[in-house]
Each structure stands twice: as C-alpha cells, then as structure tokens.
Amino acid sequence: METAGERRVFFRPSPTGAPYACVAWAAAQPEVLRCDYLAGQEHRLNYSMKLCDLLGLESLLLPFGGMILHCSFIRWQGRGILFSADSGVGKSTQADLWVAHQGAEVLNGDRAGLRRRDGVWTACGLPYAGSSRVYRNEVAPVSAIFMLEQAKENEARPLTPAQALRRLYPQITIHSWDGAFVRQVLPLIEQLVTSVPVWLLRCLPDAGATETARRALLAASEKGTAGL
C-alpha cells in the first residue's frame, strides 16, 4: 500500500499474473528508486533492458529534463536523425537504408534518450537494443525527427508543433496514470517540437525514401541558417 508521498509500480509477467517486483520512490526525490523482487524471480533481471525497465529509467531521467523516445537513432554527418513510429512500421528498415545509401551509422535501433543541453536537443544512446541489437553509448545533436507511415510513394512534409506533439506523445515513455509525471513531461515535449523540425515521412522501404528524407533535412537546415 502506498504511503503519503510515496509512489509504487508493480511489474507482472502478464496482465493477469501475480506481481514479481515492485519499484517505489518518494515524490520529493523521484531520482532515487528502490526495487524489491520476489525470491526465485531473479532471472527477470538478467539483462540490461529488463533491468532498466524495472528501475523506470524514464523516471530517473525526468527530473533532469530527459525523456525516452521509441525510435531508431542514426548519426549522419554529425547530425542525429530519429525515425519514430509504432512497432512494425519500419523504423529499423529506414535506419538500415540510411546506412546502406547515405553513409549513416546506427547508434540505437530501438530507443533514444532526449535532453536539452546548452540549448540544443541531444539524443543519447540507451541500454535498449530491440531486434537490431545496436545500442551504442554515444550522443548527437538532433537535427530532425521523422514520424513514419508506410505508403506507395515517398513524401515528406513538415508537421506543425501541435501535429508533431500528437504524433510524438504515444512514442514517448510516459506514466499516463501519474498526473505529476504527465505535467512534468508535457512542457519538455512542447519544447522539443518547437525547437526541432518534425516531419511526416510517408515512405517505401527503398533508397528513394532516404533521398526524400535527406532533402527535407537539408531544407530544414538551410531555413534555420537563413533565420540566424
């Protein structure tokens, strides 16, 4: 049972299964978490992604202005580029196409930490790999975020901040049941979508999609430079 000022999250192997672990933290000190687990359930902590899920990495990052985005994170010519969408839409495919056709490198195939540092939004590698098994502990300034949709032709169009927020929100790790968490993370998302170009990339799994995205990225960079 939660006490005054303490929050708890229980972890279950399935929606109807009995909890095997509980993470608790004080509302006044959310960066310090305690994880209790049942004896005999140690195997559920045997790899880094599960351990970070259990410790609620998103809760540790939030007090420092950080959040976690479900995306493929690549670096191209020193720029961080993020491809985000629901699972199965093609994030890893687009990242791999950029490696093959644009000379990019994948820094994380599943998620990235986002944080504003010295006024610049920066993507950071996290110990989550997904099916790509790529999770490098490196950072890059975020030049663009592409929200993916499968389509019969390649097309990129810029999203307004409001449109970008609606599409990004479901892809960010948020405790939607925790009003305090939501109130703290929403301003961060608003800052992100008003500082970084967010595009809707309707695409095929081909080299043409990388060229479409590349042109959009360069157009956004030129516009930003012209405005200085």
Side-chain angles (χ1 to χ4, degrees), residues 6 12 28 36 54 65 70 74-75 125 155 167 177 191 194 207 216 227:
E6 184 182 65
R12 304 169 184 268
D36 298 313
L54 210 63
H70 181 219
I74 68 170
R75 182 168 57 203
E155 173 194 10
R167 287 180 176 268
W177 66 90
Q191 291 172 20
T194 55

Side-chain angles (χ1 to χ4, degrees), residues 50 86 139 213:
K50 187 61 180 178
D86 292 337
V139 303

Side-chain angles (χ1 to χ4, degrees), residues 165-220:
L165 190 150
R166 285 195 296 270
R167 287 180 176 268
L168 271 172
Y169 185 90
Q171 305 305 329
I172 293 173
T173 306
I174 295 174
H175 295 179
S176 57
W177 66 90
D178 185 341
F181 191 107
V182 173
R183 287 190 296 273
Q184 194 170 352
V185 78
L186 271 176
L188 294 178
I189 304 174
E190 291 171 356
Q191 291 172 20
L192 175 66
V193 299
T194 55
S195 304
V196 173
V198 183
W199 296 76
L200 173 63
L201 180 61
R202 305 184 72 250
C203 56
L204 291 160
D206 63 13
T210 71
E211 188 59 28
T212 298
R214 188 187 70 86
R215 289 196 299 266
L217 176 66
L218 295 179

Side-chain angles (χ1 to χ4, degrees), residues 46-54 110-111 127-130 133:
N46 64 356
Y47 58 101
S48 62
M49 178 176 171
K50 187 61 180 178
L51 184 60
C52 288
D53 281 341
L54 210 63
D110 189 61
R111 307 184 206 186
Y128 300 98
R133 309 310 302 164

Side-chain angles (χ1 to χ4, degrees), residues 2-228:
E2 291 186 0
T3 60
E6 184 182 65
R7 307 304 302 272
R8 293 182 181 181
V9 175
F10 292 89
F11 291 81
R12 304 169 184 268
S14 66
T16 58
Y20 61 83
C22 173
V23 173
W25 67 96
Q29 199 176 12
E31 69 275 14
V32 179
L33 293 89
R34 185 186 76 252
C35 176
D36 298 313
Y37 59 92
L38 294 178
Q41 298 295 317
E42 294 86 353
H43 64 282
R44 300 190 184 278
L45 311 178
N46 64 356
Y47 58 101
S48 62
M49 178 176 171
K50 187 61 180 178
L51 184 60
C52 288
D53 281 341
L54 210 63
L55 292 179
L57 186 57
E58 64 280 359
S59 296
L60 294 172
L61 295 178
L62 189 58
F64 301 97
M67 51 190 173
I68 297 176
L69 177 65
H70 181 219
C71 66
S72 285
F73 167 27
I74 68 170
R75 182 168 57 203
W76 175 72
Q77 297 184 358
R79 312 165 192 246
I81 304 172
L82 310 178
F83 299 101
S84 186
D86 292 337
S87 297
V89 172
K91 299 182 300 299
S92 296
T93 297
Q94 292 300 318
D96 290 342
L97 286 168
W98 270 75
V99 172
H101 300 286
Q102 300 292 346
E105 53 186 336
V106 179
L107 299 188
N108 195 291
D110 189 61
R111 307 184 206 186
L114 300 179
R115 185 183 177 197
R116 198 170 189 174
R117 303 169 65 181
D118 299 323
V120 176
W121 278 96
T122 302
C124 312
L126 294 174
Y128 300 98
S131 59
S132 73
R133 309 310 302 164
V134 178
Y135 52 110
R136 292 165 56 179
N137 184 21
E138 300 187 40
V139 303
V142 181
S143 290
I145 301 173
F146 291 97
M147 307 303 301
L148 302 182
E149 283 186 3
Q150 295 178 349
K152 295 182 178 180
E153 60 182 17
N154 296 309
E155 173 194 10
R157 65 176 177 85
L159 297 175
T160 67
Q163 292 170 333
L165 190 150
R166 285 195 296 270
R167 287 180 176 268
L168 271 172
Y169 185 90
Q171 305 305 329
I172 293 173
T173 306
I174 295 174
H175 295 179
S176 57
W177 66 90
D178 185 341
F181 191 107
V182 173
R183 287 190 296 273
Q184 194 170 352
V185 78
L186 271 176
L188 294 178
I189 304 174
E190 291 171 356
Q191 291 172 20
L192 175 66
V193 299
T194 55
S195 304
V196 173
V198 183
W199 296 76
L200 173 63
L201 180 61
R202 305 184 72 250
C203 56
L204 291 160
D206 63 13
T210 71
E211 188 59 28
T212 298
R214 188 187 70 86
R215 289 196 299 266
L217 176 66
L218 295 179
S221 298
E222 291 171 1
K223 182 178 179 181
T225 301
L228 294 177

